[in-house]
Amino acid sequence: ISILYHLGGLHNILRSLKSSVARLVNILFPELEKLLPTLHTASSYALLSELPSAKHIAETHLTHLTNLLYTASKGHYDRDKAIQIREAARNSIGTYMPAKALELKHTIKLIKEFNTEIAEIESAIQSIMDKIDSPITTIPGISLRMGAMIIAEVGDFNNFDSPDKILAFAGLS
C-alpha cells in the first residue's frame, strides 16, 4: 500500500513541476502557450530543454529549429510551425533571465524522470493486479489504482463472511 501512496505523491509533485514550467514559460516566452496545444508534450519539452527562452529560440538557425520540432513532434510540426514560433520569439515580451532558463531546463528534466518512475510503478501495479486477477476493476468507477488500494487495504475478500463484515471493516457499517 505504501507504493500506492508513493505514486500519489509523485503525481502531486508532477503537477507542481508542470505548474512551474507554465510559470517559467510565462516569464521567458509567454507567447509560446498560444502557439502550442499544451506546454506539456514531448515536443514542447524537447524545444524548451534545448532552447529555454524566447531569446534562445529567436537566435537559433531555422533549419535547426525545424529539425528539432519535426523530430520531437514525430512529424506534426513542420517548417511553417518553426517559422511561426521563431517569429513569435523575436517579437516576444518575455524577459531573458539565464537563471530562469536554467531552472526551466532542469524542471523539464525532473518531469521526465518522474514520468519514468511513475510508468515503472504503474507497470508493477498492473503486473500485481494481473496476478491477483480480481474482478474489482470491472466495477464502474474503480480504476486500476483505486482497485489496488482497496485490495491492499482489505486483502482477500474471502476472509469476510458477508458484505456487512467488509463494510464494518471499512468503518462504514
Side-chain angles (χ1 to χ4, degrees):
I1 194 159
S2 64
I3 195 71
L4 294 167
Y5 288 117
H6 180 64
L7 183 61
L10 291 176
H11 279 287
N12 289 337
I13 292 168
L14 196 57
R15 276 191 290 278
S16 176
L17 290 171
K18 286 182 176 184
S19 291
S20 291
V21 167
R23 176 184 56 81
L24 291 164
V25 169
N26 196 41
I27 294 167
L28 298 164
F29 186 14
E31 298 82 4
L32 185 62
E33 277 190 285
K34 289 187 168 73
L35 299 172
L36 302 172
T38 176
L39 291 176
H40 308 292
T41 62
S43 52
S44 301
Y45 288 165
L47 172 67
L48 294 169
S49 291
E50 188 172 328
L51 306 167
S53 71
K55 181 180 186 298
H56 289 105
I57 294 169
E59 293 174 352
T60 197
H61 193 276
L62 183 59
T63 303
H64 177 69
L65 182 59
T66 301
N67 289 336
L68 175 66
L69 289 170
Y70 187 83
T71 303
S73 70
K74 297 181 181 167
H76 289 107
Y77 295 145
D78 57 9
R79 186 174 190 275
D80 292 338
K81 182 56 95 172
I83 290 169
Q84 184 185 25
I85 290 173
R86 190 173 72 168
E87 285 307 308
R90 287 180 172 169
N91 299 314
S92 178
I93 61 166
T95 305
Y96 177 65
M97 301 171 76
K100 296 290 184 198
L102 184 62
E103 181 182 352
L104 178 59
K105 288 172 74 166
H106 284 277
T107 302
I108 291 169
K109 185 177 179 183
L110 283 172
I111 287 171
K112 290 176 182 179
E113 289 175 18
F114 277 107
N115 279 332
T116 300
E117 189 171 338
I118 287 169
E120 183 181 323
I121 292 169
E122 287 177 344
S123 175
I125 291 170
Q126 180 70 57
S127 177
I128 292 166
M129 289 296 284
D130 288 346
K131 286 179 188 169
I132 293 171
D133 194 31
S134 171
I136 196 163
T137 56
T138 63
I139 300 169
I142 303 291
S143 66
L144 176 72
R145 195 162 130 204
M146 180 59 72
M149 289 181 85
I150 292 169
I151 289 172
E153 287 287 344
V154 173
D156 187 359
F157 283 92
N158 293 323
N159 292 334
F160 298 92
D161 295 339
S162 70
D164 287 335
K165 289 185 179 179
I166 294 172
L167 288 173
F169 177 77
L172 300 171
S173 178

